Amino acid sequence: MRKQIRSIIPIALACAVGLTACGSKADPQESSTMQGSESTESTAGSSNGADGTSINEATGIDGSSEESVDSQALSSDTTAYQPDYNYTPQIIDDNYRTCYEVFVYSFYDSDGDGIGDLQGLIQKLDYINDGDDSTYSDLGCNEIWLMPICSSTTYHKYDVTDYMDIDPEYGTLDDFDQLIAECHDRGINVILDTVINHTSSQHPWFEAAAEYLKNLPSGAEPDPSECKYVDYYNFSKEEQDGYCQLSGTDWYYEARFWSEMPDLNLENEDVRAELSEMAKFWIDRGADGFRMDAVLYYDYGNNDSSIEELKWFVDTVKEYKSDAYVVGEAWANQSTYAKYYESGIDSLFEFDYSGSEGIISKAAHGRYSALKFAVGLEDMQTLYSQYNEDYISAPFYTNHDMARSAGYYVGEDSEAMTKFAGALNLMMSGNAFIYYGEELGMYGSGKDENKRAPMYWSEDADSEGLCDGPSGMDDITMKYGSLEAQAGDADSIYNYYKQAIAIRNAFPAIARGDVTVFEEISDDDVCFMEKSVDGGEVTDANGDTVQVQDIVIAINMSEETKTVTLAGDALEYTALGAQLTVFDEAVVYDGTEITMPARSIAILVKE
């Protein structure tokens, strides 16, 4: 039965909701020690949120007028709104992109069974990118991160039963091949969520090992020559932390995330051969790279060993496709995950900046200095370069393990803060990631299923293609409108995100430039960051040279309009190249003095 996804509750009722129940506090699970993808993913339908908060309880107060929240008053024609900005995109074919994370299960259903599928995603590719750089009808993202699509026993599919096949709920390998072709026709790269830390307990490898151990004579030691799969996993006669007992035996196996996700022994050469074959299989089918799940846990408690195992996989992938993109999930603080760049991996997710208590959210709340924000981006360059000079940062704001960001903010400025935080992520250097639905201000907190609710295409529960969502998901009350409601509204979160992405696409230095902070004109409220590319040019995937214009990004993080007189090297940037504001006021710049509305961003260029 389809769970209800409703638009915002009436204003009078919203005002009666206590602020402590409005999503103003982070999910406790977000600050736990073990926060990898599977730390909150166990049996389908289970509730793993520490607070169990339903999305209804997380509804905030947006202070909007009744007219602004009446979805019927907004155009449902997704092509009705034509923006008044006109940024010329400069799309470079490299691994600095804007990536859209898709949970296929909840995205778009092509066959009416309530479950999203690859054909459904194909039907909605034009929403992500229509392949025409001259239009603004699409988001403008040029990469997709597919959450796990391989055969699995659960809705989240992080417990793989077959590394080289598509889960039947999602479709077939032919569907995947079509998806790749359609994406590449639009200039979209595709990276696959790849789980090599563990398999499902129902994977044939584990089933064979378990059967062998159950039939092993008492007191006998396992012999890999009799069953090689017994050495694919980490078995022990002693009960240890992070180990589960194998039913019907006195053996234990490592399973750090869940009893049904036994950890692989990545030191085993046969395991490496299997995973190497898997990587080649997907590269040969057109995949552009991999998102590596839970890299901290490859050898739990041993960073050096985990880094070596990650290096092996990265090297293997690069042998098959030299320009393949590999990004890793190392859910830890920056000083820890920085070390994983020693593996040669392209990117690691910027966890310090993500989530309800991350730097981006603090900045949007006005609890983080603008100067400190800018200096942090400058300092990370030095930190990462000592491990890998070719690193590509991977900024992100939320993902499938975190409460959705619209719930971080309450009060009359909540929509403005929701917008501004999304833009801060998109102004960071590297390959930036957006979780599906964040561009609509979707809600979702508490247990995992709520964070993976159906993409909010329409308020109509019977709308074609709308998914049911995971079976354990609560009924959801959305604070902001669906795509139908927001598409025609010039001031919507959706159209703000589209403009932010358009600016990112128009100024390649945003993603690729090295940061230099102009500290003499920056303070707690406003910061100025030069982004420049050494030599002023980059090389694309075809080996062609592309010129990249230096820019300055100015950010007013305060709740008030600020006027700043430029000085020093900043005076070289005499023109306003682009602006992004959350309210109606515009940025004003005369070449020496800039006036910036609250929570605004300006791109300054050299004339």
Side-chain angles (χ1 to χ4, degrees), residues 334 352-354 358-364 367-380 395-397 420-429 515 517 522-529 531 553-557 601:
Q334 190 179 63
D352 272 10
Y353 288 79
S354 67
I359 292 172
I360 289 174
S361 177
K362 289 178 180 177
R367 295 190 280 112
Y368 204 85
S369 160
L371 176 58
K372 186 177 179 181
F373 179 86
V375 170
L377 299 181
E378 186 177 37
D379 289 346
M380 76 164 57
F396 78 106
Y397 180 29
F420 183 62
L424 289 179
N425 177 51
L426 291 166
M427 293 300 112
M428 291 175 65
S429 299
V515 174
V517 180
S522 300
D523 57 24
D524 287 346
D525 295 326
V526 183
C527 63
F528 293 82
M529 298 179 288
K531 285 202 175 184
I553 301 179
I555 306 174
N556 179 7
M557 292 189 182
I601 297 171

Side-chain angles (χ1 to χ4, degrees), residues 238-312:
E238 298 179 2
E239 184 176 4
Q240 303 177 47
D241 179 55
Y243 278 63
C244 300
Q245 187 168 12
L246 181 62
S247 177
T249 75
D250 56 358
W251 287 93
Y252 298 85
Y253 60 94
E254 187 178 17
R256 295 285 169 182
F257 291 108
W258 180 34
S259 62
E260 306 311 304
M261 292 176 172
D263 285 22
L264 283 166
N265 173 14
L266 295 177
E267 292 297 319
N268 181 280
E269 291 301 324
D270 287 335
V271 170
R272 292 191 174 194
E274 302 268 18
L275 297 177
S276 175
E277 182 183 3
M278 175 270 292
K280 186 176 187 301
F281 177 84
W282 293 112
I283 290 292
D284 287 349
R285 296 196 90 95
D288 297 288
F290 302 95
R291 178 265 184 188
M292 306 308 298
D293 183 68
V295 301
L296 290 175
Y297 298 93
Y298 287 176
D299 187 352
Y300 181 70
N302 189 331
N303 282 328
D304 290 340
S305 181
S306 293
I307 290 169
E308 187 282 324
E309 288 161 352
L310 178 60
K311 179 179 177 3
W312 162 78

Side-chain angles (χ1 to χ4, degrees), residues 196-211:
I196 66 172
N197 180 71
H198 51 261
T199 69
S200 169
S201 60
Q202 296 181 42
H203 194 290
W205 301 343
F206 189 78
E207 290 182 328
E211 185 67 19

Side-chain angles (χ1 to χ4, degrees), residues 7-60:
S7 57
I8 188 168
I9 55 181
I11 293 298
L13 179 57
C15 292
V17 178
L19 291 182
T20 57
C22 291
S24 58
K25 293 184 179 180
D27 284 345
Q29 68 190 54
E30 288 185 288
S31 57
S32 64
T33 302
M34 186 169 171
Q35 292 185 323
S37 287
E38 295 77 40
S39 64
T40 54
E41 287 157 355
S42 55
T43 53
S46 65
S47 175
N48 297 301
D51 61 355
T53 303
S54 71
I55 300 181
N56 289 330
E57 295 168 341
T59 303

